[in-house]
Amino acid sequence: MPDYERGKVPCTRCGSAEGTALAAGDRVTVALRNYEGHTWEPVAVYCRSHDVERVADTMDVLAEEQVVIAATLEATGYLDPLSGYHPNALSFGGVELIDYSPAKDGY
Ligand SMILES: [Zn+2]
């Protein structure tokens, strides 16, 4: 999961070793699922050397919308309703859709 305070997120394949974390400006590949049709939840983040191209390579295909995107991490900050503003929090910019798995594929 993204580290809101430090503005870093580890690549799922590299692990969370210090120094391999991805930060603002890095181009990444991200797998997301549309959790109960309400919110897009990042499932995994990959660095350039661990690019993935298909939803099925990143997670089980479920009865919900799932995507793989390419994006650039941006330090836009994040306003958390409970704990306040996190200025280093990351979001995704320059999003490019790579693969899409509709909900019906999971049945
Ligand atoms: Zn990696």
Side-chain angles (χ1 to χ4, degrees):
M1 279 285 94
D3 184 329
Y4 292 128
E5 297 303 332
R6 296 188 307 152
K8 288 191 173 166
V9 56
C11 162
T12 300
R13 297 265 161 82
C14 293
S16 54
E18 204 62 44
T20 62
L22 302 159
D26 286 337
R27 191 77 181 158
V28 296
T29 310
V30 192
L32 301 106
R33 53 184 285 218
N34 195 349
Y35 185 68
E36 291 182 346
H38 295 300
T39 52
W40 286 98
E41 213 177 67
V43 175
V45 180
Y46 303 94
C47 68
R48 291 309 298 259
S49 20
H50 292 120
D51 265 358
V52 289
E53 289 177 354
R54 294 174 336 121
V55 166
D57 292 340
T58 69
M59 54 188 156
D60 292 336
V61 172
L62 303 171
E64 59 189 18
E65 289 181 288
Q66 294 163 289
V67 295
V68 170
I69 60 166
T72 303
L73 293 175
E74 291 178 349
T76 53
Y78 169 67
L79 184 62
D80 186 314
L82 297 178
S83 52
Y85 185 64
H86 304 268
N88 293 324
L90 299 170
S91 65
F92 303 126
V95 171
E96 208 182 304
L97 185 66
I98 294 175
D99 190 27
Y100 170 73
S101 168
K104 65 176 170 57
D105 280 7
Y107 289 107

